[in-house]
Amino acid sequence: MPIFSFEGLRPSVHPDAWIAPTATLIGDVVVEAGASVWYGAVLRADFGRIIVREGANIQDNSVVHVNDGVCEIGKNVTVGHQCLVHDCTIGEQALIGNGSTVLDKARIGAKALVAAGATVTPGAVVPDGVIAMGSPAKKHVPMTDSARVWVEHNAEVYQHLARRHAEGVERLDVPE
């Protein structure tokens, strides 16, 4: 897996975390126990620190970057496929839907859901336990029962799937 030091700062990955072989970590990145960073994801911490808390997952082709400060992905957070998470704070067990964008200094509350394709603008606050939708994501609605199931169980599903990948993925050479 591509892991790079930048200006003397190097990623720190807990032995119980899983990083896909094609994910890229650069600079001051911390990945805690049980967390996973999936195929094609890029975490670049060249201005500040990125922390991926315990049990969180950053899914395929997502990008996490930070300005000066800390971008924190909370415990058991799911960042879905192809998301842009930039210099923000995501609360515990929140779910960032596929293709969403969360921008500078935004704060996503615990157990909140950012709907697929939504854009959370700089400095915006999404309260705990709501669904934020739209571009910009100004519409906040109560959590539905079906959405709550996704929020409450997605991180656990990806923790199990990461273990399966850690044990079962095998690089195959392309025949000539």
Side-chain angles (χ1 to χ4, degrees):
M1 77 196 81
I3 295 182
F4 300 95
S5 171
F6 179 74
E7 295 180 346
L9 297 173
R10 57 184 300 138
S12 171
V13 177
H14 191 280
D16 292 332
W18 181 73
I19 309 298
T22 59
T24 303
L25 281 65
I26 304 158
D28 194 7
V29 176
V30 176
V31 181
E32 294 184 349
S36 57
V37 180
W38 290 80
Y39 303 93
V42 176
L43 283 65
R44 180 165 57 91
D46 45 11
F47 290 122
R49 173 176 270 194
I50 295 169
I51 302 172
V52 180
R53 295 285 181 204
E54 181 179 346
N57 63 91
I58 311 297
Q59 295 179 10
D60 310 71
N61 296 318
S62 287
V63 174
V64 181
H65 188 244
V66 61
N67 288 331
D68 58 343
V70 176
C71 181
E72 183 172 355
I73 312 298
K75 182 178 178 182
N76 293 318
V77 162
T78 291
V79 174
H81 307 285
Q82 294 186 324
C83 292
L84 172 61
V85 174
H86 197 271
D87 197 30
C88 58
T89 301
I90 302 176
E92 186 171 326
Q93 206 170 356
L95 193 155
I96 309 304
N98 296 341
S100 295
T101 300
V102 182
L103 294 172
D104 302 52
K105 306 306 180 214
R107 299 187 67 79
I108 308 301
K111 295 187 178 184
L113 188 153
V114 175
T119 300
V120 179
T121 54
V125 175
V126 174
D128 295 351
V130 302
I131 301 172
M133 51 181 66
S135 187
K138 290 188 175 187
K139 183 176 182 183
H140 298 168
V141 299
M143 188 72 64
T144 63
D145 289 340
S146 61
R148 189 173 291 105
V149 169
W150 280 101
V151 169
E152 291 177 355
H153 298 288
N154 198 271
E156 182 181 356
V157 168
Y158 267 83
Q159 289 161 13
H160 291 291
L161 187 57
R163 286 192 288 277
R164 289 178 55 207
H165 276 260
E167 295 170 0
V169 75
E170 180 181 342
R171 183 182 177 97
L172 301 175
D173 291 324
V174 177
E176 292 183 24

